[in-house]
Amino acid sequence: MSRIIENVGMLDLTQATEETVTSIERIGNVGLVIYRAETAHLLTLLKNAGNIGKTLEIPEGHRYYSGTLRLNEEYFQLLEQPDRVFVNGTVIIDKGVSLEAFQSGTLHLVVNGEVYAPRHLAAAVTSALLKAGGASAEIHAYEYEPRFESGKVQLNNAYLASNSEPMELVLNGMVHLDKELDMEQFSARIEKIQVNGKAIIHEHQSPYFYDKLKKINGLVEVIPAGFEYVTKPLRLNARSVRRFKGHKLYTNKPLILEADVTRDAFSQAVSEIQSTSFIICGEEIEDLVWERCPNLNTEIVSYERLFVFISGEETWSRDQLAALGQPASFIVDGTLTFDDDVTEEDIKASMSSLDLFGEVVVGEKRIKGILYPYLRANNGSIIVKGTEEELAGIGNVGMLSL
């Protein structure tokens, strides 16, 4: 059975066969292909692959290691036979490894990635690395052993207090510096920072953060001074809006204002909004919302009396549409599917406008045409069932072995 696979970070052909490669009907862009000499011919079979960033051949006689390889003193002491290793990823040599142990070992190391070595070994490691097969290694000489974090990391005072020695941080994923983070302690406890992903910091933290930032593969998002960072969709009504007293909000998530939020309540609660997402509000306060949103990337969608917000996947029938009792503004950020029995009359009776940030799936082309006059924001798509591109396989993949 043929498979379709979306983008792949790394494609491992070291154990692949012609059968496994030809079973892939189509594959998206590939960041890196790893292969051995005996599987090199399989590269020519990847005819339906997208762009390939880099190919690496594992040198003959080398074992293959993917990920993070940590080497300690004991490893080198027990190394009686030559160890030939090809590493795609990160190599960490423990601080306790002596120069004598390292030099007496018979390690033949090829690295495509990064090598962290204590300062007293940096020169020896650099000269010992073998250059082969297009692999490229970046060597980091450290004084304090690096600490690796992956995923979503909240860097707060408790985190700093968890380690008595200065730290070199390598952050893979997304790191958020807590607003209340003691920046003097941050300067004292953090030696260097490397970010592979995204860092979210507050404006007052910028000088401290950039002073420690050694390298970033990604981006830094700065929350302006005086703003509260809203990390999830926020839905406010007449009661919940009272918790805010002239606040400034910074968000990349939807903000929803219920119909009972009055002009006076909104004016008192929110003084400014910086958003890269959209805001749903009643027509009566729409002008106030515009005034408080200087960012031109903010989309504001209003409703007259009733709105339906679709953020996930929902299927609506004609009975559900009829139950609304009046036309509503439909705001679709997920996927809205209309049952096949939904008619033109049902749409006209139940929909006053359509703001599209996701997808609407309809049963026939005629219904698609009927929906267009209702469109206001159009950042999504309307799809007719049966014409959508089916993904007969899997989505984006970090590493794929065939």
Side-chain angles (χ1 to χ4, degrees):
M1 176 180 174
S2 296
R3 293 176 291 172
I4 298 174
I5 302 172
E6 290 190 335
N7 301 328
V8 174
M10 191 189 86
L11 179 61
D12 182 359
L13 294 182
T14 57
Q15 302 296 323
T17 64
E18 290 189 14
E19 287 72 24
T20 58
V21 173
T22 55
S23 69
I24 304 297
E25 179 181 339
R26 179 161 55 85
I27 190 169
N29 297 326
V30 180
L32 172 67
V33 180
I34 300 281
Y35 63 96
R36 292 186 181 276
E38 53 268 31
T39 58
H41 66 285
L42 299 178
L43 288 170
T44 60
L45 300 180
L46 294 173
K47 296 177 180 177
N48 293 323
N51 299 320
I52 295 178
K54 186 177 182 179
T55 61
L56 285 180
E57 180 179 340
I58 300 174
E60 186 176 359
H62 283 64
R63 63 186 176 94
Y64 172 47
Y65 193 96
S66 179
T68 300
L69 177 64
R70 183 179 286 275
L71 303 175
N72 56 22
E73 175 87 356
E74 186 179 11
Y75 164 82
F76 287 100
Q77 289 176 344
L78 297 176
L79 201 59
E80 297 178 352
Q81 299 294 325
D83 193 9
R84 304 177 187 278
V85 190
F86 178 95
V87 178
N88 181 59
T90 303
V91 175
I92 305 170
I93 300 177
D94 278 4
K95 193 175 182 177
V97 176
S98 65
L99 179 60
E100 180 183 9
F102 181 82
Q103 290 180 329
S104 63
T106 49
L107 174 64
H108 301 276
L109 190 63
V110 180
V111 178
N112 182 61
E114 297 179 315
V115 180
Y116 291 84
R119 288 193 186 281
H120 67 276
L121 291 182
V125 172
T126 302
S127 61
L129 273 179
L130 301 177
K131 183 73 174 177
S136 59
E138 186 173 355
I139 298 178
H140 305 271
Y142 68 80
E143 182 175 355
Y144 301 100
E145 196 158 313
R147 182 168 172 173
F148 292 81
E149 301 285 1
S150 299
K152 290 185 178 181
V153 179
Q154 185 81 8
L155 198 56
N156 52 26
N157 291 325
Y159 184 95
L160 293 181
S162 67
N163 200 328
S164 58
E165 289 190 345
M167 293 177 279
E168 286 196 22
L169 282 180
V170 181
L171 302 162
N172 301 307
M174 186 171 75
V175 58
H176 178 203
L177 269 62
D178 190 89
K179 189 177 181 180
E180 305 304 324
L181 186 66
D182 185 334
M183 299 313 294
E184 296 300 328
Q185 284 296 311
F186 175 87
S187 292
R189 295 290 178 86
I190 304 295
E191 187 70 15
K192 294 177 183 175
I193 287 182
Q194 176 177 331
V195 177
N196 302 312
K198 181 179 180 181
I200 301 172
I201 65 175
H202 295 266
E203 189 173 3
H204 71 278
Q205 299 168 335
S206 295
Y208 302 89
F209 178 78
Y210 284 110
D211 182 54
K212 299 295 183 180
L213 185 63
K214 177 185 175 185
K215 183 180 180 182
I216 182 163
N217 298 311
L219 59 93
V220 178
E221 183 175 353
V222 180
I223 301 170
F227 280 76
E228 287 191 42
Y229 183 38
V230 181
T231 59
K232 59 183 180 180
L234 188 60
R235 193 163 188 146
L236 299 176
N237 56 32
R239 285 191 292 181
S240 59
V241 78
R242 294 178 185 171
R243 62 193 287 198
F244 299 104
K245 303 292 183 184
H247 285 203
K248 295 180 178 179
L249 305 179
Y250 180 90
T251 185
N252 54 15
K253 303 293 183 182
L255 173 62
I256 302 162
L257 300 170
E258 301 280 7
D260 58 356
V261 176
T262 64
R263 294 177 67 87
D264 184 56
F266 178 74
S267 297
Q268 293 185 33
V270 180
S271 61
E272 188 173 337
I273 302 171
Q274 288 209 17
S275 171
T276 53
S277 183
F278 56 86
I279 300 172
I280 301 171
C281 65
E283 287 184 352
E284 292 184 354
I285 65 170
E286 182 182 5
D287 58 322
L288 291 178
V289 177
W290 280 108
E291 289 177 8
R292 281 159 174 74
C293 296
N295 190 339
L296 297 179
N297 293 320
T298 307
E299 193 91 47
I300 298 172
V301 293
S302 63
Y303 58 91
E304 183 179 357
R305 285 173 294 181
L306 180 67
F307 72 91
V308 175
F309 178 49
I310 308 290
S311 59
E313 293 188 11
E314 293 188 25
T315 299
W316 279 58
S317 65
R318 61 182 311 182
D319 290 340
Q320 285 175 284
L321 293 173
L324 290 172
Q326 59 180 311
S329 298
F330 278 75
I331 301 134
V332 180
D333 192 33
T335 300
L336 169 61
T337 301
F338 284 124
D339 273 349
D340 292 345
D341 60 354
V342 171
T343 65
E344 177 179 355
E345 289 68 30
D346 297 324
I347 298 292
K348 290 180 177 178
S350 60
M351 182 176 288
S352 59
S353 62
L354 174 62
D355 293 288
L356 191 54
F357 302 95
E359 291 182 342
V360 174
V361 181
V362 297
E364 55 178 311
K365 292 181 179 179
R366 187 166 170 275
I367 297 297
K368 180 177 180 178
I370 290 169
L371 287 174
Y372 271 100
Y374 294 91
L375 273 176
R376 296 190 304 186
N378 187 11
N379 299 316
S381 56
I382 302 175
I383 300 169
V384 179
K385 286 180 185 175
T387 62
E388 65 268 37
E389 184 178 357
E390 293 186 2
L391 180 64
I394 55 179
N396 297 332
V397 177
M399 187 184 83
L400 177 65
S401 297
L402 296 179

